[in-house]
């Protein structure tokens, strides 16, 4: 009768009396309505809005509105190419349980480099079942070409301004050697800037390299970018150079390394007893945990490119570090930071943070983030297991 009620709902109606029931065409849930229920039918066969009449004798009939669950599937493109979905959807929503086949077709001169987010790999045809809100990105690239969007923080795998000493990953096609090569520091504790014929240059300054492969290079941003607004980056391999890309330079770019290297989910954390933090091995509130991070910016003393930290000289961030557990400011609690700085054996730019878990932190897999100085901090994408 035009009044919203929560189901199930009982109505007392006199024999022969009526009640008008109306079912909304959609009921949206979640962030931006990415999950929704779509009206299918009433159990008595009536229209979305119709009148139910009480019988002369007996009880009032039960009528049920039936809905089907749908999830939004977003298909994004990075580079030049197309993605075709089968079956197609007029608005991106699919019934729960639907199987979708995606086919990626690169434009001339491009190749499918990879799928990101809820899909992975390089297969042009991908099949998956829709059982939740899904976001996929097809990345099309030209061989031996850099894209600014594909120079990402090595911990978060997100594009951001590069900061002095930060660990980064450069993604592309045929950037490095065909066989993956992992660097090792020399006897003096120094990482080289040339690995399997590959270099990464920031305004002409060669960056220390941690690994190099055809589609991925791991490097440390030279500390010489400090104070700049932008930096020009190229990859050089066997005498050839990619076109330069210009990247913004930030004072810091905080990010926490994760267990699986995805930038999301369980962070790479050691509990107070030195064991790895996990859902099966949570930390106790009030105990000390150790995070592995990057992107803190300049250090004291100033960072030395590619130098492995020694026990007698452990640089610390030039700006104060804060750690938040349980959510963003106003929701989570700040942890007590006991130490933030280099650790013996780690290359300059990758640091440890020792923090005490607040006693009022929630339990379970709880968001954890950190910030440097006035920087807003790392995104709420990593978690710590607490009990």
């Amino acid at each position: 009768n035009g009044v919203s009620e929560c189901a199930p709902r009982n109505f007392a109606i006199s024999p022969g009396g009526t009640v008008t029931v109306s079912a909304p065409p959609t009921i949206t849930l979640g962030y931006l309505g990415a999950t929704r229920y779509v009206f299918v039918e009433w159990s008595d066969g009536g229209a979305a809005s119709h009148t139910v009449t009480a019988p002369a004798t007996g009880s009032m009939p039960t009528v049920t509105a039936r809905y089907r669950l749908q999830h939004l599937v977003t298909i994004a493109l990075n580079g030049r190419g197309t993605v075709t979905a089968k079956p197609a959807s007029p608005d991106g929503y699919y019934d729960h349980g639907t199987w979708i086949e995606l086919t990626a077709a690169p434009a001339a001169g491009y190749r499918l480099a990879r799928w990101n987010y809820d899909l992975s790999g390089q297969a042009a045809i991908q099949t998956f079942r829709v059982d939740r809100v899904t976001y996929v990105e097809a990345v099309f690239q030209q061989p031996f070409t850099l894209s600014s969007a594909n120079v990402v923080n090595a911990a978060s795998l997100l594009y951001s301004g590069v900061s002095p000493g930060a660990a980064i990953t450069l993604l592309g096609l045929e950037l490095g050697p065909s066989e993956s090569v992992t660097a090792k520091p020399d006897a003096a504790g120094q990482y080289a800037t040339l690995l399997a014929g590959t270099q990464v240059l920031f305004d002409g300054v060669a960056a220390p390299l941690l690994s190099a492969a055809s589609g991925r290079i791991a490097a440390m941003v030279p500390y010489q970018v400090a104070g700049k607004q932008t930096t020009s980056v190229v990859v050089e391999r066997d005498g050839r150079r990619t076109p330069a890309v210009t990247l913004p330079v930030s004072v810091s770019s905080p990010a926490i390394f994760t267990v699986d290297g995805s930038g999301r989910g369980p962070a790479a954390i050691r509990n107070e007893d030195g064991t790895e933090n996990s859902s099966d091995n949570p930390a106790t509130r009030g105990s000390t945990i150790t995070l592995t991070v990057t992107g803190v910016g300049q250090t004291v003393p100033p960072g030395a490119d590619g130098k492995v930290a020694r026990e007698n000289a452990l640089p610390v961030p030039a700006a104060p570090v804060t750690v938040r557990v349980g959510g963003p400011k106003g929701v989570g609690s700040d942890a007590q930071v006991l130490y933030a700085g280099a650790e013996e054996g780690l290359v300059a730019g990758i640091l440890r943070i020792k923090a005490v878990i607040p006693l009022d932190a929630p339990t379970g897999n709880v968001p954890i983030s950190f910030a440097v100085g006035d920087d807003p901090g790392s995104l709420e994408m990593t978690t710590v297991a607490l009990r």
Side-chain angles (χ1 to χ4, degrees), residues 74-313:
T74 301
I75 304 169
L77 302 179
N78 182 335
R80 298 184 62 184
T82 61
V83 174
T84 303
K86 184 179 179 181
S89 169
D91 58 2
Y93 284 88
Y94 286 86
D95 289 352
H96 181 87
T98 300
W99 283 91
I100 299 178
E101 180 182 275
L102 299 183
T103 302
Y110 285 74
R111 283 165 42 192
L112 176 66
R114 64 189 179 279
W115 295 89
N116 281 340
Y117 304 108
D118 290 324
L119 289 178
S120 60
Q122 295 177 304
I125 299 177
Q126 297 271 354
T127 303
F128 63 96
R129 183 178 184 268
V130 180
D131 54 13
R132 58 188 174 89
V133 176
T134 304
Y135 186 93
V136 302
E137 179 187 57
V139 180
F140 300 103
Q141 291 181 317
Q142 295 173 300
F144 200 58
T145 300
L146 265 185
S147 163
S148 59
N150 290 311
V151 180
V152 297
N153 187 293
S156 67
L157 297 188
L158 295 177
Y159 169 78
S160 64
V162 296
S163 62
I168 62 168
T169 299
L170 300 92
L171 303 170
L173 293 172
E174 300 177 9
L175 290 180
S178 56
E179 297 292 331
S180 179
V181 180
T182 300
K184 293 183 179 180
D186 61 19
Q190 181 70 47
Y191 277 89
T193 59
L194 178 66
L195 186 61
T198 303
Q199 282 189 312
V200 179
L201 305 173
F202 288 75
D203 296 324
V205 177
L209 300 184
L210 304 184
S211 65
S214 177
R216 179 184 294 251
I217 300 172
M220 305 301 296
V221 178
Y223 283 95
Q224 288 90 328
V225 304
K228 296 182 178 181
Q229 297 296 312
T230 62
T231 183
S232 178
V233 183
V234 300
V235 173
E236 182 177 295
R237 181 165 62 87
D238 299 331
R240 298 171 57 213
R241 286 191 174 188
T242 63
V245 296
T246 299
L247 301 176
V249 176
S250 303
V251 174
S252 61
S253 53
I256 301 172
F257 285 94
T258 57
V259 172
D260 63 2
S262 69
R264 302 182 180 187
I269 293 174
R270 293 200 305 256
N271 289 337
E272 190 167 304
D273 61 1
T275 60
E276 291 186 3
N277 179 267
S278 68
S279 296
D280 296 329
N281 187 34
T284 304
R285 289 175 292 183
S287 67
T288 300
I289 61 169
T290 303
L291 301 163
T292 302
V293 305
T294 192
V296 302
Q298 191 54 272
T299 59
V300 178
D305 292 342
K307 195 72 174 176
V308 172
R310 300 302 188 193
E311 188 63 40
N312 61 347

Side-chain angles (χ1 to χ4, degrees), residues 286-347:
S287 67
T288 300
I289 61 169
T290 303
L291 301 163
T292 302
V293 305
T294 192
V296 302
Q298 191 54 272
T299 59
V300 178
D305 292 342
K307 195 72 174 176
V308 172
R310 300 302 188 193
E311 188 63 40
N312 61 347
L314 297 178
V316 298
V321 169
T322 57
V323 173
R324 181 164 288 116
V325 179
K329 188 174 183 179
V331 177
S333 302
D334 285 347
Q336 179 188 2
V337 176
L338 302 179
Y339 174 76
E343 183 175 291
E344 185 175 13
L346 295 181
V347 66

